[in-house]
Amino acid sequence: MSTRSRQRGGGGVVGAIKTDVQRLHGAWMELVFPRQRGRGHSVMGKWKPETLPQRIAYRGWSVLGMLGLLLLYPLTVLGFGTRYYAAKLDSTRTRLGIVGVTGIALLGWGLLTLAWGAMSYMEQVDIPFDAVLAVAAASGVATVSTALAATCSKFGGRGLTVALAYPFAMTALFLPPVVAALVTPSLEGVILEPSYDFAVWVLDNVLFVGGINEYLRGNFELEGAAYAAMWTGISFPLGWFLGVVTALANLVRPSQ
């Protein structure tokens, strides 16, 4: 075992988890109390409570932070995985550039739209014109989303990356299978039917507040392009969530 590993409290997975938890807890403590993370305070040292009220408040805040870590650390682990795959995608964007990534998305979606448009005019193939419009609309959204995600990732700071780059990237990833299911009957049972069940669950268990579910049921029907719209809407809160857990992972382990 190396000296550095012993200093961190052990090697391997156990040592890494201990270090992560210490960093998270230190960051939590530093929200209220100064100089708790042990970084950048080598001269002044770590602040410690002196009076009885300070000790009570310090201990209470510390216990509250440990309870929060029971939920927070699993999210941090999820953030490590998200950061890994995000780095892979960002590496591709770096090699190809924003124009290159956008061009590939435009070419792929454009060819798909042209193919379905041409097939809709063939007498042997029964493809509704609405399906072609759905593919065309999804093509535009996916291409723009790809371009915006790449742009925000390159030029935006951490806040803009979390707010926009992750949601747009999720949109670009979600739309292809949904659109494929819209125009391929054999995929309906794999993608659209679970999507419908998921939408019912969200309406009954999440959007019941303020009668939102009743409004949506009374004014919209989940069919056709509405599936693509639904997953586009889901991509934003999911993208924000993944962006936040990735930022949390960066807080715990700033570098790989």
Side-chain angles (χ1 to χ4, degrees), residues 122-148:
M122 298 180 182
E123 295 181 357
Q124 303 93 321
V125 183
D126 184 18
I127 297 180
F129 184 68
D130 289 345
V132 179
L133 291 179
V135 173
S139 299
V141 173
T143 302
V144 173
S145 296
T146 301
L148 289 174

Side-chain angles (χ1 to χ4, degrees), residues 194-217:
S195 296
Y196 183 88
D197 294 337
F198 177 70
V200 171
W201 182 87
V202 170
L203 289 174
D204 292 338
N205 297 279
V206 179
L207 299 180
F208 63 89
V209 179
I212 298 176
N213 55 353
E214 297 299 331
Y215 172 79
L216 292 175
R217 282 192 170 106

Side-chain angles (χ1 to χ4, degrees), residues 1-244:
M1 184 184 298
S2 66
T3 303
R4 185 177 182 182
S5 295
R6 288 196 298 269
Q7 290 175 345
R8 286 188 170 188
V13 175
V14 175
I17 292 176
K18 182 177 180 180
T19 300
D20 293 341
V21 170
Q22 288 174 343
R23 286 175 177 172
L24 278 172
H25 191 259
W28 168 260
M29 295 300 295
E30 206 163 29
L31 291 175
V32 176
F33 303 97
R35 305 195 311 274
Q36 293 298 302
R37 282 183 284 184
R39 293 185 297 179
H41 308 302
S42 57
V43 177
M44 300 181 66
K46 181 179 178 180
W47 181 89
K48 296 181 180 180
E50 298 178 355
T51 65
L52 179 61
Q54 286 179 345
R55 287 195 290 270
I56 294 175
Y58 188 89
R59 177 64 63 181
W61 189 251
S62 177
V63 171
L64 185 61
M66 290 303 298
L67 293 176
L69 282 175
L70 295 176
L71 172 64
L72 201 60
Y73 190 71
L75 295 179
T76 304
V77 174
L78 176 61
F80 292 148
T82 304
R83 182 174 66 178
Y84 173 80
Y85 289 105
K88 294 292 185 182
L89 293 174
D90 191 61
S91 176
T92 301
R93 189 268 306 161
T94 301
R95 291 195 302 269
L96 298 178
I98 296 175
V99 175
V101 171
T102 304
I104 291 176
L106 181 61
L107 178 63
W109 281 101
L111 290 175
L112 179 63
T113 303
L114 290 174
W116 280 100
M119 292 174 64
S120 67
Y121 286 99
M122 298 180 182
E123 295 181 357
Q124 303 93 321
V125 183
D126 184 18
I127 297 180
F129 184 68
D130 289 345
V132 179
L133 291 179
V135 173
S139 299
V141 173
T143 302
V144 173
S145 296
T146 301
L148 289 174
T151 302
C152 292
S153 177
K154 181 177 181 179
F155 296 107
R158 181 173 298 178
L160 188 62
T161 299
V162 172
L164 295 178
Y166 277 89
F168 283 131
M170 290 296 100
T171 300
L173 290 175
F174 282 158
L175 278 180
V178 174
V179 172
L182 289 175
V183 297
T184 308
S186 61
L187 295 178
E188 290 183 5
V190 179
I191 297 175
L192 298 189
E193 291 181 7
S195 296
Y196 183 88
D197 294 337
F198 177 70
V200 171
W201 182 87
V202 170
L203 289 174
D204 292 338
N205 297 279
V206 179
L207 299 180
F208 63 89
V209 179
I212 298 176
N213 55 353
E214 297 299 331
Y215 172 79
L216 292 175
R217 282 192 170 106
N219 292 274
F220 300 97
E221 293 185 4
L222 188 57
E223 59 182 16
Y227 281 101
M230 182 188 81
W231 282 107
T232 299
I234 291 174
S235 67
F236 275 80
L238 180 59
W240 292 328
F241 171 74
L242 293 177
V244 168

